[in-house]
Amino acid sequence: MRIRPALVLLAATLLVPFALAAEKPKVRAITAFVRFDRDHYQQQIRETLDFLRAAKAEFERGGYEVQTIRISTQPFPEYVRGLSPRQALELFRDYDALAQKEGFDASIGTVFVGSPADREMVDLLAQILASTRTLNASVSITSDTGVNWNAVAGTAHLIKALAERTPHSQGNFNFTAAAMVPPLTPFYPASYHLGSGRQFAVALQPANVVAEAFTAPAGGAATPDSLRQRLQQLLSTHASKIQEIASAIEKRSGWSYAGLDPSPAPLKDVSIGAAIEAFTGATFGSSGTLTAATAVTAVLKAIPVKQTGYSGLMLPVLEDELLARRWGEGKITLDSLLAYSAVCGTGLDT
């Protein structure tokens, strides 16, 4: 019984060199939250892009590659009031064209369904997403009182419409049915805010860091406890640096920093599934997978920085090459994915 504390202490002393040697994760997105003003949005967006491009340059000077810059608004039903469906579509087609021209991703927020008029907004959203290329949005299908079945029904029709009206049904990649997703989430497509704007958040992409942490050091075996500690050390090192850069940006720009979402989002061969296999020593979907998912989730929640958004593990089958392969092999099924969703986000996308 006295050996375990000694091993934990020894593992802790070895963590600092690993943290210093770790390959830096990419920043998936710097997301700015603005209160969209339909009468002056072009000037508003230009000023926001000036801020985002300066912030991107600051992170890159700190050694962190930034993949995308994004702008999210309050729920779009708030700023299309008084417009006909035709006028609303024209507004969003123009905004979509601006996003394509200026090279940013745009979210028009979420729809909270509480009345027949809100259900009409769900139908309008189907038209908006089917006729634009870069806009993202969501429908909130839950509330504090439980599942909103009217929202679920409307969302089902919206998903079917996008499947039928967009090439290869890919309009659905710009949409999600969101359940209990908080505002100020930097990841898409569930991003929105409810405040006055002029806030920003950072979405990290640290699946490579999880993979490195879960790969046993050469010359010695690792225990689950030592791997978890190693992961927390590595992620905390990068999260602290991200926060340091973001805080400096906040002071210089006047934009308020909402926090970091450290969710280890995978992307193709940068696989969270492979990292979990390294942790368990078994094929993803085998016994121990849920335990590994729980361990990653616990570490993410314990990172001592300002967090926002989802801040949890994601297991998106269509975005992770190894998870896609394990699905094709029958190693994971809908039932097992639903079981893992007790502790993380999972699905075809997420």
Side-chain angles (χ1 to χ4, degrees):
M1 295 296 292
R2 295 180 181 177
I3 296 177
R4 180 182 294 271
L7 286 175
V8 170
L9 287 173
L10 177 61
T13 65
L14 295 174
L15 291 178
V16 174
F18 290 138
L20 294 176
E23 179 186 351
K24 289 185 177 181
K26 293 180 175 64
V27 171
R28 173 69 73 89
I30 306 171
T31 303
F33 300 94
V34 303
R35 190 146 195 92
F36 192 90
D37 178 353
R38 75 185 188 214
D39 294 323
H40 305 97
Y41 76 89
Q42 296 201 22
Q43 177 63 28
Q44 183 183 38
I45 297 304
R46 279 195 292 270
E47 293 172 355
T48 302
L49 288 173
D50 288 342
F51 160 74
L52 284 171
R53 288 164 180 158
K56 179 176 183 286
E58 190 74 13
F59 278 106
E60 290 175 342
R61 279 193 291 271
Y64 291 92
E65 178 184 336
V66 177
Q67 294 183 312
T68 63
I69 53 174
R70 302 178 175 183
I71 299 176
S72 292
T73 74
Q74 74 272 35
F76 77 89
E78 295 183 16
Y79 52 89
V80 296
R81 289 195 184 105
L83 297 182
S84 68
R86 182 187 61 77
Q87 290 171 323
L89 283 173
E90 182 178 347
L91 170 67
F92 288 120
R93 286 173 182 146
D94 289 345
Y95 186 38
D96 180 58
L98 179 63
Q100 292 180 60
K101 176 184 176 183
E102 296 293 343
F104 69 94
D105 294 333
S107 170
I108 59 173
T110 194
V111 181
F112 297 101
V113 179
S115 68
D118 296 329
R119 177 61 186 270
E120 291 175 5
M121 287 295 168
V122 176
D123 295 336
L124 174 61
L125 181 57
Q127 298 178 59
I128 294 168
L129 295 178
S131 59
T132 58
R133 289 178 56 189
T134 65
L135 302 188
N136 286 253
S138 63
V139 174
S140 295
I141 61 170
T142 57
S143 67
D144 292 339
T145 59
V147 177
N148 183 333
W149 294 108
N150 286 330
V152 169
T155 299
H157 286 289
L158 189 158
I159 291 171
K160 186 172 186 294
L162 292 178
E164 293 172 344
R165 299 179 194 173
T166 61
H168 308 292
S169 303
Q170 289 190 342
N172 276 301
F173 273 99
N174 290 357
F175 170 76
T176 190
M180 306 300 289
V181 176
L184 301 175
T185 296
F187 279 104
Y188 278 17
S191 184
Y192 70 99
H193 78 96
L194 300 174
S196 59
R198 289 189 66 83
Q199 294 172 282
F200 73 101
V202 176
L204 205 56
Q205 187 177 302
N208 64 307
V209 177
V210 180
E212 179 175 353
F214 285 171
T215 301
T223 67
D225 283 345
S226 69
L227 292 177
R228 280 193 294 268
Q229 290 179 44
R230 190 179 181 203
L231 176 60
Q232 180 148 356
Q233 177 70 22
L234 290 171
L235 286 177
S236 295
T237 297
H238 291 296
S240 296
K241 181 61 176 175
I242 292 289
Q243 181 161 280
E244 179 183 324
I245 297 170
S247 296
I249 293 169
E250 179 181 48
K251 290 177 183 178
R252 282 195 292 271
S253 67
W255 284 69
S256 176
Y257 177 54
L260 170 70
D261 189 333
S263 303
L267 190 63
K268 298 182 180 179
D269 58 337
V270 182
S271 170
I272 196 67
I276 288 176
E277 289 191 353
F279 181 88
T280 63
T283 301
F284 189 96
S286 303
S287 179
T289 300
L290 182 58
T291 298
T294 303
V296 175
T297 298
V299 168
L300 292 170
K301 299 298 183 185
I303 296 172
V305 296
K306 186 176 184 179
Q307 296 190 23
T308 191
Y310 172 60
S311 296
L313 178 64
M314 299 179 181
L315 299 176
V317 174
L318 288 179
E319 294 185 4
D320 185 309
E321 287 186 354
L322 185 133
L323 292 181
R325 186 160 68 250
R326 295 294 181 247
W327 178 278
E329 295 167 349
K331 303 296 185 183
I332 51 177
T333 64
L334 184 58
D335 284 345
S336 58
L337 288 176
L338 287 172
Y340 304 147
S341 73
V343 297
C344 65
T346 186
L348 296 177
D349 181 9
T350 296

